[in-house]
Amino acid sequence: MAGIERLGVQKLTSSVAFGSGGTTLFTASDNYLVSVVATNLAATDASIYVYVIPSGATTEAQYALLAYSLTLPGYNSYETFRFAVNSGDVVKVAGSADVSYYIQGLDQVA
């Protein structure tokens, strides 16, 4: 029986720009239902981005934006709603330094 799995962990030690240069949190090898938790480890507000680059996407207009320049207060966490990713999709994060990201999900076995 499949269960919820930890799929990736990243801590940004410096600011990362949104876009194709963002930090990869997870690359899907199957279809998953996932959510991302971002935790601000600093006392000051942070800015976070969580987005999916669908398999085959070539421009930012094709990205699925889940959190875009979202202000995350110091020492607080934010969890995205659950969302689907398909095989080959890439979940990326970007934003301020000192934010830790965690992705968990459930493999959608047919």
Side-chain angles (χ1 to χ4, degrees), residues 18-45:
F18 167 77
S20 60
T23 298
T24 297
L25 184 59
F26 176 66
T27 301
S29 59
D30 203 351
N31 298 332
Y32 284 85
L33 183 65
V34 301
S35 69
V36 174
V37 177
T39 301
N40 185 353
L41 305 173
T44 56
D45 289 355

Side-chain angles (χ1 to χ4, degrees), residues 29-101:
S29 59
D30 203 351
N31 298 332
Y32 284 85
L33 183 65
V34 301
S35 69
V36 174
V37 177
T39 301
N40 185 353
L41 305 173
T44 56
D45 289 355
S47 179
I48 66 167
Y49 299 82
V50 178
Y51 52 105
V52 177
I53 300 178
S55 178
T58 57
T59 67
E60 286 184 14
Q62 296 170 310
Y63 295 0
L65 306 173
L66 302 161
Y68 185 84
S69 193
L70 180 70
T71 299
L72 183 58
Y75 303 129
N76 276 280
S77 296
Y78 168 80
E79 183 175 10
T80 66
F81 50 87
R82 287 167 236 12
F83 58 96
V85 292
N86 297 328
S87 184
D89 291 354
V90 178
V91 179
K92 291 208 171 219
V93 296
S96 303
D98 295 324
V99 176
S100 177
Y101 293 91

